[in-house]
Amino acid sequence: MILIVAIAAIILAIGAGGVLGENTSSCGPNFPAACSCGQEMYESEMQYVVNCTNAGLVNTSVLEFMPDQVEVLIFTGNRITELPWNVFGSINNYKQLRIVDMSSNHIREIRGKSYHHVPRVERLILNHNNLSISRYEDEVNHHHPRVFSNFINLQSLHLTDAFEDNSSPQLSEDLHDIFVNSQLVKLQKLHLEQNEITHFKDRNVFCDLPSLRDLHLGDNDLRDLNFEVRCLNNLRFLDLERNKFGFVKPTDLRVLNELEERPNRTANLIVDFNLNPFGCDCRTAPFRAWITTTRVTVRNKDSLMCFHSTGHVDAEPAHLLQMDMGQCADAIAAAATILNTAEDEPHYGDPEASHLQPQAHISGHTATLIFLLIVLTMILLGLLVALVYVSRDKLKYMITPVFDNVAKKVQYTSIKDEDCPEVHV
Ligand SMILES: *[C@@H]1O[C@H](CO)[C@@H](O)[C@H](O)[C@H]1NC(C)=O
Ligand SMILES: *[C@@H]1O[C@H](CO)[C@@H](O)[C@H](O)[C@H]1NC(C)=O
Ligand SMILES: *[C@@H]1O[C@H](CO)[C@@H](O)[C@H](O)[C@H]1NC(C)=O
Ligand SMILES: *[C@@H]1O[C@H](CO)[C@@H](O)[C@H](O)[C@H]1NC(C)=O
Ligand SMILES: *[C@@H]1O[C@H](CO)[C@@H](O)[C@H](O)[C@H]1NC(C)=O
């Protein structure tokens, strides 16, 4: 009897324990059951992971109560419209935290001081959010240029599909602001795929990331390299897959060559132009020629395709490397001239560098002005000579007495000078 009661009690306890275990989180009482905490294999390493995936959270208040030993935070699939100040609390110091994944949270705003106490975080992932960082503050746009400023050890920043749609033109300028103010001097990898970027308003958008090695710009709407890469001395991979390049400008090819040919580079530059809508025409020919001659490694060059314009008999895409360039000798020669002319590299940090075109414009003006000035001076001199010649008799008459006077004065002076030594001796 006692035995049966004991067994029943044990079964009940186990049952209750099981129910309790199901409903409380391994992270402690402050967490919903959907969050889990503990050591587990993460990227082939045993790490302490806090995982709140699809936990139905609407704010980040649980993050103040994470176990101190947390190394990886996975906080995805929730609905957090705004990250408040001090996401991790104002007194905590998660000294071991190295990876923060806050993807797919519908985040619209990150406050300037959202992230504090993140001295060791190396990777921040904010993919698939709805960020708006425009400098024009209104109820929709929120601009906090110091959002990443506490990530002093950040090495990789993932912003794939992170921004609100249709924010492209302004985006680059705002990004630059953030990069300047956040001092991400150790950042090596930057992911900006799927952000509908059409162009960069600010050419130097990436120039404040001196350690940048991998720049991922795939799945955007870029048509040319209208951002400066020569300030990125350590760049080794430039991903431009699935953009809108119809051809590649010879000046862009030159820029890539210049970067690759730097004497002090330690790594080979790799670019990927795969799956861009290149045209099978003479505008693409310089690129096609460049691929086979450059020292830059063109990844996936064998799968590059080009497309005949509509109306062409065979509208099928063709392999770019097999394109017939027989009629394009002129285009290739013109491009070769551009490729072989060294252009003065803009020096980043130079205030004039960012306004390269206006500067070139001004120097053109200056040259014209100097030329005009010289011509006018010549004419003036000619007129003066003519005047002198025409009125030479009058001048002679006017000048002769003056000469005589001067001559007399000189005579007197020399006499006086000769006298002086005698007086003193
Ligand atoms: C545990 O959760 C289940 C549903 O997930 C619920 O039916 C049950 O009442 C909960 N038990 C406790 C003790 O909260
Ligand atoms: C995090 O939790 C989700 C769902 O609970 C699971 O699918 C995912 O594999 C977990 N991730 C890690 C790294 O443990
Ligand atoms: C955060 O969300 C939880 C529910 O997940 C709620 O109970 C709590 O009041 C919220 N805290 C704040 C500060 O809004
Ligand atoms: C993103 O924000 C805009 C408003 O800024 C809103 O209209 C849109 O529904 C949001 N999208 C998502 C997926 O949250
Ligand atoms: C490498 O050379 C470039 C100019 O050619 C210079 O700007 C850069 O600072 C140099 N880097 C190092 C590490 O010496």
Side-chain angles (χ1 to χ4, degrees), residues 411-422:
Q411 268 180 352
Y412 293 145
T413 321
S414 40
I415 290 165
K416 214 168 158 192
D417 279 353
E418 273 171 22
D419 284 347
C420 283
E422 283 177 26

Side-chain angles (χ1 to χ4, degrees), residues 42-57:
Y42 186 78
E43 296 186 341
S44 59
E45 227 184 298
M46 281 307 274
Q47 314 209 46
Y48 196 98
V49 179
V50 171
N51 185 353
C52 287
T53 298
N54 300 329
L57 293 166

Side-chain angles (χ1 to χ4, degrees), residues 151 187 207 251 279 299 324 339 394 413 419-420:
F151 290 94
L187 194 73
C207 286
T251 46
R299 208 171 74 164
D324 176 24
L339 278 172
K394 226 181 197 173
T413 321
D419 284 347
C420 283

Side-chain angles (χ1 to χ4, degrees), residues 151-166:
F151 290 94
I152 50 177
N153 274 310
L154 199 65
Q155 292 172 14
S156 98
L157 178 57
H158 298 246
L159 294 169
T160 300
D161 183 29
F163 299 97
E164 158 184 52
D165 295 350
N166 306 318

